[in-house]
Amino acid sequence: TLPFFGTVFTISTHFPYPIPDTMQKAFSFVGQNKEQRSIAYLDYALRLFFQSIKNESWYQNTLFVFTADHNIWGRLNTASCYYKCFRIPLFFHRPAQPVFQPIHSITQQLDVVPTILDLLEVNKPFMSFGKSVLDTIGEGWACNKINQTYQLIYKNHLLGYDEASEQPVFFYDYRSDST
């Protein structure tokens, strides 16, 4: 069969944190807020999805990529957490090769496509601003923007650059500096 690409946005854990009416009671846990119940429902829905496809002929030859579009940075909008505010889950699942391999390098969403091509062993040239997380040459890095500040995360450091003043506004070692 020919290779193909498909993408599906399966479920939302955004406000208003929807759970089907028929499932509300099953996901109403004492002490959990609406966001937590929504995540519990997401976990359940993904479990059902994988149970329903695990015996399909294409399952073993499929690469599943899971990531989020953003974190909850709006609630964490303080200088001490700027580097944490952009952390999101990212994992690649290959049923034919179920080996757990944690990613320890700094990674960004720009790295998803090069990693997919690397995992699929595509050896043709392509243009990308990211790099495969499997590439061990050089360090990972991430660039993002919060309010009017561009940030560069590289190795242990976080550099903030203010767009309006065209000046750096902070530079620190986020692993050793608690503030």
Side-chain angles (χ1 to χ4, degrees):
T1 61
L2 295 173
F4 71 94
F5 173 79
T7 183
V8 177
F9 180 74
T10 57
I11 194 167
S12 174
T13 56
H14 289 146
F15 178 82
Y17 313 108
I19 296 175
D21 291 339
T22 58
M23 303 297 292
Q24 287 289 333
K25 191 171 183 177
F27 291 95
S28 295
F29 305 112
V30 175
Q32 284 191 333
N33 61 34
K34 288 182 178 185
E35 294 164 316
Q36 292 167 323
R37 287 191 292 270
S38 180
I39 296 296
Y41 176 71
L42 169 66
D43 182 60
Y44 168 78
L46 286 173
R47 189 176 319 116
L48 287 180
F49 171 71
F50 276 97
Q51 286 174 352
S52 71
I53 65 169
K54 67 183 179 183
N55 295 319
E56 296 291 335
S57 61
W58 47 264
Y59 178 74
Q60 289 294 322
N61 295 322
T62 301
L63 172 64
F64 296 92
V65 181
F66 296 86
T67 191
D69 59 338
H70 63 84
N71 196 339
I72 55 171
W73 77 271
R75 291 194 174 176
L76 305 172
N77 197 3
T78 63
S80 65
C81 77
Y82 279 3
Y83 83 98
K84 291 180 182 178
C85 296
F86 292 91
R87 288 183 168 189
I88 58 172
L90 169 63
F91 64 94
F92 302 89
H93 174 57
R94 296 184 295 175
Q97 298 173 335
V99 176
F100 177 71
Q101 182 180 353
I103 301 167
H104 295 291
S105 64
I106 296 169
T107 304
Q108 58 186 325
Q109 289 171 325
L110 289 173
D111 300 331
V112 172
V113 170
T115 303
I116 290 171
L117 295 173
D118 201 2
L119 289 168
L120 297 178
E121 300 176 6
V122 174
N123 295 318
K124 298 192 185 271
F126 66 94
M127 192 286 190
S128 174
F129 290 108
K131 69 177 229 164
S132 171
V133 298
L134 304 177
D135 183 350
T136 57
I137 299 172
E139 300 283 337
W141 59 276
C143 187
N144 51 56
K145 184 178 180 186
I146 186 166
N147 301 323
Q148 295 303 310
T149 304
Y150 288 94
Q151 298 186 137
L152 174 65
I153 303 170
Y154 180 69
K155 295 188 178 181
N156 295 348
H157 296 96
L158 177 63
L159 169 66
Y161 179 83
D162 180 64
E163 179 180 23
S165 68
E166 297 184 356
Q167 297 289 317
V169 290
F170 54 81
F171 178 74
Y172 62 94
D173 183 328
Y174 64 85
R175 292 191 177 151
S176 64
D177 185 345
S178 63
T179 61

